[in-house]
């Protein structure tokens, strides 16, 4: 550690930056369309990702209509149902959650939170968005391709993914899906390099790694993981494309299709599963770690209390990041792999629960005796904790081989991963949008609409997914287009399915309240000022709101403290911004905190 | 999946070494004031760090291909591909290319502009020779009936060499731009940086090629077997 040179007033000297490094837009097109400003790119990413999210939401409605009221809607046949499932899953996991957390929040928050003017490679950053958009267009384009999109399930398991019995298997669907994924990965790599290198190289003076807000830590770790995990999906996609187009047998075993033996033999479907889940499991944490980081900041800010166990939170993030690469095969207990593998992966799976539990304890201890403000972002953050614990506990069930084997093909798994990977991160995304919207637009989102949105979404999600666990325990299989007449399925299960569908329709429709709020508040929201939540982190200390191009005006900020100086005893206000040099003492007798 | 885990393990060691120097055990809540590590006087340029991380990504892509190769080759339908003799010549070409870029780097350090230009051109030409040699190897194999879809070993041969070739092709775009700049500019700092980045990328691709070659010839497998025997 070297002490920073101090200016005359005991204030640190800001870092010099060469002006030429910053790109300056000259026209409307370079400012708002082909923009190299991370903030504009973030909004573009978020807008596209949220739009894809709305499409995926409608797809889930269509699936639920079939499950709740089988046979009523003639346009949902078995093929369409599987296409909806596949596209819903892939869109939500990759094109919504990953893109939104890293491309959206990463782009907006990293430069602002570490005190940089922009990302380090702005041109590559711009390219990253346009490549992502291309990937989305190819994916959505497969709806209009001959044969429609692929219906292989979001895991795209061979051999069925490229056989003629599967929708899109011998048509365009699977090819467009694989190509789209490859384009996405290329685009993400461009963005990911930016997120990582910006954190490493462009931090403001005084911003040591251990002074970074946990949001940045979460996004940083997740970006690094994504950079290393996505290649596995890329390799799988390349090899499956070869199998589909050139007739190779990487994954294709000897197989009889429609009574005809195919000209392939010897391939290993299990190999694809290994590759897919080598990406697939880190992917869960690629989504979860940014959510962990954001939730930590929301809780600390809205409870006016420093985060409990900051160091432990950072260590836990890193530990989860590393461990998530050695748990992948717990998705494959029923795949027929060597049973000893199952023993090993069950152990690592249970170990990863330890750092995760540490995080949960620390959130709760941060809340303990805090000055909790039940603002809309805080409501979402609290809902996240509850939901994540719920989903995590069922994860402990499924992490054990003997419990997983009977449950693996049931709705229990669907309920589990929707709780832990669907609802929980989405709650964080909503909380984060309510929290940072004032910085992006200069106006607050409407509070009443926000609370309506929160309560219907939160309670609705539980009404949807809690009963689903029960269906799973009863043995109701997942992936089935219709249940038909099965002796073990009581009529009450059908009633429950209809109930879930109705709630899903209501919860889905409620998201329109949120969309309306986003647009309405842009014009009519209450002006927020620069720091409406009285938060400490740098993005709230910009000279102007919304922050202009270059973020900081003439001088870059200098950081004097960590990100969590809330309710410091003796200070005259209950938060100390990271760029505030000393503590302004309150007048005697007016101490609080 | 041993190759990829080994590769990630190495990365984890590097990451742990780096993190250990970042004061992860410090107590930031006690450290008020303007302390904090200053940026070094001559910081590493972001593009170098960026390239380093990009190489980690490419490395993990290659390691995953090798993992897939190792798993697939254990199945009974695997028939080894004979290695075309031209691959040895190609290997020499790529080594030459890598050396030439290294020379260009040192020439740039001496402000020796003619030397820099010669080095860059030589690297470009020998890299193109490598790629043409790879295409010849493909032609030779297809001519002898080792078609892509006939056996997974053939398919892997084409895929591995193809992926490696594509990365070199991408590098050639960057090298082409650097060559073009070396004719327009004097040996500025940013030109030197570009040459250095190209050289790093080339050394990496040469190393990756050696690994691929050892996998394709089966030497890597023999080596692993010997190690296994020594351990048991």
């Amino acid at each position: 550690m070297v002490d920073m040179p101090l200016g005359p007033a005991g204030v640190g000297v800001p870092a010099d930056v060469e002006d030429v490094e910053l790109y300056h837009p000259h026209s409307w097109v370079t400012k708002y369309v082909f923009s190299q400003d991370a903030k504009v790119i973030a909004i573009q990413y978020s807008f596209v990702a949220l739009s894809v999210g709305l499409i995926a939401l409608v797809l889930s409605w269509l699936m639920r209509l079939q499950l709740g009221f089988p046979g009523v809607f003639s346009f949902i046949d078995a093929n369409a149902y599987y296409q909806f499932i596949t596209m819903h899953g892939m869109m939500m996991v990759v094109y919504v959650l990953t893109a939104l957390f890293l491309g959206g929040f990463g782009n907006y928050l990293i430069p602002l939170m570490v005190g940089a003017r922009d990302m380090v490679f702005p041109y590559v950053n711009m390219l990253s968005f346009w490549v992502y958009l291309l990937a989305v267009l190819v994916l959505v384009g497969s709806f209009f391709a001959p044969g429609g999109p692929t219906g292989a399930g979001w895991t795209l398991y061979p051999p069925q993914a490229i056989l003629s019995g599967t929708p899109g298997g011998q048509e365009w669907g699977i090819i467009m899906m694989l190509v789209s994924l490859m384009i996405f990965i290329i685009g993400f790599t461009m963005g990911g390099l930016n997120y990582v290198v910006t954190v490493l190289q462009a931090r403001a003076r005084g911003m040591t790694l251990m002074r970074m807000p946990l949001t940045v830590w979460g996004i940083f770790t997740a970006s690094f993981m994504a950079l290393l995990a996505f290649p596995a999906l890329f390799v799988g996609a390349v090899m499956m494309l070869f199998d589909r187009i050139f007739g190779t047998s990487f994954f294709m075993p000897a197989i009889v299709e429609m009574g005809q033996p195919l000209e392939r033999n010897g391939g290993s479907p299990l190999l694809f599963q290994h590759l897919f889940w080598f990406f697939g499991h880190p992917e869960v944490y690629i989504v979860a770690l940014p959510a962990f980081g954001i939730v930590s900041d929301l809780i600390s800010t809205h409870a006016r209390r420093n985060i409990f166990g900051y160091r432990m939170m950072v260590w836990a993030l890193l530990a989860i990041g590393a461990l998530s690469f050695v748990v992948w095969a717990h998705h494959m207990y029923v795949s027929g792999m060597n049973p000893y593998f199952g023993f090993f992966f069950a152990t690592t799976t249970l170990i990863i629960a330890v750092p995760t539990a540490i995080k949960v304890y620390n959130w709760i201890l941060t809340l303990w005796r805090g000055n909790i403000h039940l603002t809309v972002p805080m409501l979402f953050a609290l809902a996240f904790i509850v939901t994540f614990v719920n989903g995590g506990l069922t994860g402990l069930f499924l992490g054990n081989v003997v419990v997983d084997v009977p449950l693996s093909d049931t709705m229990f798994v669907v309920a589990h991963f929707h709780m832990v990977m669907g609802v929980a991160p989405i709650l964080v995304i909503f909380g984060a949008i309510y929290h940072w919207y004032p910085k992006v637009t200069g106006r607050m989102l409407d509070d009443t609409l926000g609370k309506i949105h929160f309560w219907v979404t939160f309670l609705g999600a539980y009404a949807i997914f809690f009963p689903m666990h029960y269906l799973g325990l009863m043995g109701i299989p997942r992936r089935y287009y219709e249940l038909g007449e099965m002796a073990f399925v009581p009529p009450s299960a059908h009633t429950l399915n209809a109930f879930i569908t109705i709630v899903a329709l209501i919860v889905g429709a409620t998201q329109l309240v949120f969309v309306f709020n986003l647009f309405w508040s842009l014009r009519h929201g209450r002006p927020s000022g620069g720091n409406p939540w009285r938060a400490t982190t740098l993005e709230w200390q910009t000279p102007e709101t919304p922050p202009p191009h270059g973020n900081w005006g003439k001088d870059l900020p200098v950081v004097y403290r960590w990100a969590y100086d809330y309710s410091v005893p003796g200070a005259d206000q209950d938060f100390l911004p990271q760029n505030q040099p000393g503590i302004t003492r309150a007048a005697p007798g007016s101490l609080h905190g | 999946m041993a190759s990829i885990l080994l590769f990630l393990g190495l990365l984890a060691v590097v990451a742990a070494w780096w993190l250990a120097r970042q004061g992860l055990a410090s107590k930031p809540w006690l450290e008020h004031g303007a302390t904090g590590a200053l940026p070094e006087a001559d910081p590493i340029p972001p593009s170098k760090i960026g390239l380093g991380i990009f190489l980690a990504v490419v490395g993990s892509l290659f390691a995953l291909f090798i993992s897939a190769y190792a798993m697939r080759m254990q199945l009974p339908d695997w028939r080894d591909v004979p290695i075309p003799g031209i691959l040895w010549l190609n290997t020499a070409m790529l080594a030459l290319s890598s050396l030439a870029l290294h020379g260009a780097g040192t020439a740039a350090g001496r402000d020796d502009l003619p030397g820099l230009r010669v080095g860059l051109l030589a690297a470009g030409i020998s890299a193109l020779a490598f790629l043409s040699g790879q295409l010849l190897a493909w032609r030779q194999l297809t001519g002898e009936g080792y078609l892509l879809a006939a056996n997974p070993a053939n398919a892997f041969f084409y895929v591995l060499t193809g992926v490696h070739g594509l990365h070199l092709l991408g590098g050639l775009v960057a090298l082409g731009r650097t060559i073009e700049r070396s004719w327009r500019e004097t040996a500025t700092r940013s030109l030197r940086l570009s040459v250095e980045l190209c050289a790093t990328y080339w050394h990496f691709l040469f190393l990756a090629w050696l690994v691929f070659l050892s996998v394709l010839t089966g030497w890597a497998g023999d080596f692993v077997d010997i190690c296994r025997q020594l351990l048991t």
Side-chain angles (χ1 to χ4, degrees), chain A residues 14 16 27 53 76 78 99 145 185 277 305 341 429-430 497 526 562:
Chain A
D16 301 318
S27 66
I76 312 176
I185 294 166
W277 289 113
R305 204 153 176 271
F341 279 13
I429 284 174
F430 286 139
N497 254 332
R526 186 161 52 82
W562 71 328

Side-chain angles (χ1 to χ4, degrees), chain A residues 198-396:
Chain A
T198 303
V199 172
L200 291 178
Q201 292 289 95
R203 300 194 305 275
R205 193 160 275 188
M207 180 66 90
T208 59
L209 283 187
M210 292 305 273
R211 279 179 175 176
M212 293 198 305
L214 287 166
T215 299
V216 178
W217 265 112
I219 295 174
F220 173 67
T221 320
S223 303
F224 209 80
M225 289 164 58
L227 283 171
L228 297 175
F230 269 118
L233 184 61
F234 195 89
V235 169
V238 169
M239 287 162 63
M240 198 195 280
L241 264 186
F242 269 68
D243 274 6
R244 165 68 180 78
I245 297 176
F246 301 115
T248 53
S249 304
F250 288 117
F251 304 132
M252 294 297 283
I255 205 162
V256 175
E257 184 187 50
M258 310 271 173
Q260 297 294 320
L262 295 183
E263 278 183 30
R264 316 175 186 243
N265 55 60
S268 164
L270 203 57
L271 173 57
F272 179 83
Q273 296 194 20
H274 277 296
L275 289 171
F276 184 85
W277 289 113
F278 196 82
F279 142 78
H281 198 83
E283 169 67 20
V284 174
Y285 289 98
I286 290 164
V287 171
L289 292 192
F292 289 171
I294 289 171
V295 150
S296 307
D297 284 358
L298 295 191
I299 285 179
S300 180
T301 306
H302 294 273
R304 319 304 300 163
R305 204 153 176 271
N306 64 303
I307 195 78
F308 185 89
Y310 173 84
R311 279 195 302 177
M312 207 60 102
M313 293 298 247
V314 172
W315 297 345
L317 277 178
L318 295 172
I320 294 171
L323 283 171
S324 70
F325 279 94
V326 286
V327 295
W328 79 89
H330 68 210
H331 297 269
M332 300 164 56
Y333 290 154
V334 293
S335 69
M337 64 174 187
N338 189 328
Y340 284 109
F341 279 13
F343 174 73
F344 171 79
F345 285 104
T347 312
T348 50
T349 303
L350 297 185
I351 291 175
I352 209 170
V354 174
T356 316
I358 289 177
K359 298 196 82 72
V360 174
Y361 287 127
N362 284 354
W363 290 323
I364 292 168
L365 286 168
T366 304
L367 289 168
W368 176 251
R369 300 183 76 179
N371 180 5
I372 296 174
H373 295 51
L374 287 178
T375 55
V376 179
M378 184 62 152
L379 288 173
F380 276 106
L382 296 175
F384 163 81
I385 300 180
V386 178
T387 311
F388 189 75
V389 168
N390 263 313
L393 287 177
T394 49
L396 290 179

Side-chain angles (χ1 to χ4, degrees), chain B residues 95-110:
Chain B
L96 208 65
S97 189
S98 202
L99 265 179
L101 264 179
H102 185 72
T106 39
R110 291 196 309 266

Side-chain angles (χ1 to χ4, degrees), chain A residues 19 58 85 188 200 293 319 330 333 382 387 401 471 483 489 494 534 560 562 590:
Chain A
D19 245 4
V58 172
I85 276 200
F188 172 76
L200 291 178
H330 68 210
Y333 290 154
L382 296 175
T387 311
V401 186
L471 287 177
L483 289 175
V489 180
H494 295 291
R534 295 175 298 130
Y560 296 91
W562 71 328
S590 66

Side-chain angles (χ1 to χ4, degrees), chain A residues 2 201 249 311 560-561 565, chain B residues 25-26 31-33 36 44 72:
Chain A
V2 185
Q201 292 289 95
S249 304
R311 279 195 302 177
Y560 296 91
R561 57 189 71 249
D565 265 344
Chain B
S26 64
E31 292 167 7
H32 291 281
I44 309 173
R72 184 66 180 82

